Structures are given as structure tokens and as C-alpha cells.
Amino acid sequence: EKGEQWVQALQLFREMAHGRVESNTITYNSVANAFLKDGKWVLAVALLHDMACSHVESDVLTYNSAVRACQKGGVWSQALRMLSHMADALVERDAITYNSAATACENGKRWWLALELFYSMEDARVARDVHSYNAAISACESISQWEQALAIFLEMAEASVDKSTVSYNVAVSACMQGGQWLLALELVRDMADFRVRRDTITFNSAISACTNASEWTWALQFLCDMVDSDVPANVITYNAAATACQDSMEWRQSR
């Protein structure tokens, strides 16, 4: 079954060893990829050690599988250790390496390490992609640094990196947390202008930003836009909309 791919890969690998079939980098990379898909980071890291003992050269694909497995397994420290091992093994890191390690750090609430990795990519002459920027913006959003999050978001245009739905969502959320409802509104409008797909998270952040600022008319307008755009609502949507409606009723009663 799909969830047992790593077991099958490991069995095949052992059978090759018992049959004295020589394994190469491609063989190891296939096994490492199976470990990655099932989140077996311990096995992915152990595989690298086995390659060294077997005098099989590891490459960026091998290490990336290990780093991504560490990210998936929630072990940011091990992900960073893999980056250090790559330097020792003279294996060049690429955007996937940095992005996976940065995301692991961000998920592990080590936002400063995620940002450090983002900025170190320039020194390493590794081109940043949309995932690089998304991880950095998310790191800023997690500590409510909306100004820095927005600065990195705006830098994407200068770097000719197309913004994704995730890029906008994290930026809108950062503005919402920073009480910058007008900026959140402008970002959501930009998404429509540049034909970037808006999803439930987009509208929830926008509605919450307006509701928190007591701008209930805009909050309800976004709710209408959400319905018109056929974007599904969830509990967060209805809770924010209910708060906006309550604010509307209180305002009318006070007149």
C-alpha cells in the first residue's frame, strides 16, 4: 500500500545487498525518496551514514530527501545538521535545501533561524523562489512582524518572483495581526487584479482584519465577495461574520 512504500523500498534494498548487487547513488536516492514520502527521517539520515560507509557518493538529491524528511518529521535541529554535513561533504545546496530547512525552523518556532537561512541564500548565490519567500514571510507573520513580512513580500516583485496564493495569504494574515486592515484590504484587491486565486484563508484573514478594526461594512462586503467567488466558508468565516453583524447592530442601536 501507499503508506508502506518505505518498507518495500527497504526490503528491496536489503535483497540487493544480500544478492551482492552493488548499489549506487541512484539506488540510494530512490530509497531516500521513499523514506521522505512516509516521513521516516531517522531512516533517511541513517541512509546517508550507510552511503558514507559503503563509499557511495551522496548528492544534493540524497541530502534534500533527508532535509525534507526532517522537515516533515518536525526535527528542525536535524535539518540544520544536514545542511552542515552538506558543507563538509562539499555538496552544493540548492533552493529546495534552504527552503526545507527554513520551513522546518519556522514550524519549530525558530523564526530567527528561518530568516537567517533566507538571507544567507544570497551570500551562497542560491536563487530564491516563491517557496523561499513564503517561508520567510511566514516566519515574520508568526511573530506578528507585519512590517518585515510586507517588506519581504514586496521584494518578490523586485526579484521577479511571482506571488502565489500562499504569499498573499501570509502577508494578509500578518497585516491582520498587526491591525493593518487597510493594507489587508489592498492585498486582497491586488489578488483579484493580478488574477491570483483567493481561497477560504484569504477571505477569513480579510474579514477578521476588518472585524478587529470595527470596520463591519467591509467585513460583510468581503463575505459577499466570498459567496460571489464560490469560495467555501468555514467556522472561522462564520464566527468573524457573526462578530461583524453584532458590531453592525450595536452601531445602529447607538444612533
Side-chain angles (χ1 to χ4, degrees), residues 8 12 17 38 57 59 103 105 113 117 147 159 168 180 212 241 243-244 246-247:
Q8 296 170 3
L12 181 60
D38 289 320
E57 186 178 358
D59 60 14
T103 301
C105 291
L113 293 176
L117 286 167
E147 290 175 302
Y168 275 99
Q180 305 299 312
N212 293 343
T243 302
Q246 183 178 353
D247 290 344

Side-chain angles (χ1 to χ4, degrees), residues 24 27 35 79 86 98 106-107 110 117 122 127 141 154 156 181 192 200 210 227 235-236 247:
N24 56 24
T27 310
F35 290 159
M86 290 180 77
Y98 280 96
E106 196 269 319
N107 291 342
R110 299 300 191 276
L117 286 167
E122 184 175 1
E141 182 264 348
L154 294 174
M156 294 178 76
W181 72 273
T200 305
C210 295
V227 174
V235 175
I236 297 174
D247 290 344

Side-chain angles (χ1 to χ4, degrees), residues 37-132:
K37 288 180 178 178
D38 289 320
K40 303 298 179 182
W41 69 269
V42 175
L43 293 175
V45 172
L47 197 67
L48 279 167
H49 178 70
D50 188 75
M51 289 180 76
C53 293
S54 302
H55 302 289
V56 177
E57 186 178 358
S58 53
D59 60 14
V60 66
L61 295 177
T62 324
Y63 276 100
N64 281 353
S65 290
V67 175
R68 291 171 65 195
C70 291
Q71 174 207 328
K72 200 169 183 178
V75 281
W76 61 270
S77 57
Q78 188 62 54
L80 292 183
R81 199 167 289 122
M82 288 295 98
L83 260 69
S84 179
H85 288 175
M86 290 180 77
D88 295 338
L90 301 179
V91 176
E92 288 191 13
R93 308 162 184 170
D94 61 12
I96 294 175
T97 317
Y98 280 96
N99 294 348
S100 301
T103 301
C105 291
E106 196 269 319
N107 291 342
K109 301 187 185 304
R110 299 300 191 276
W111 58 268
W112 61 93
L113 293 176
L115 288 176
E116 186 178 315
L117 286 167
F118 173 76
Y119 289 117
S120 68
M121 291 179 74
E122 184 175 1
D123 295 333
R125 296 182 179 179
V126 176
R128 299 167 181 156
D129 60 18
V130 64
H131 302 293
S132 312

Side-chain angles (χ1 to χ4, degrees), residues 168 184-194 198 218 222:
Y168 275 99
L185 185 152
E186 186 176 337
L187 288 171
V188 177
R189 280 179 167 176
D190 282 349
M191 292 179 77
D193 292 340
F194 291 108
R198 299 183 291 180
W218 278 110
F222 275 125

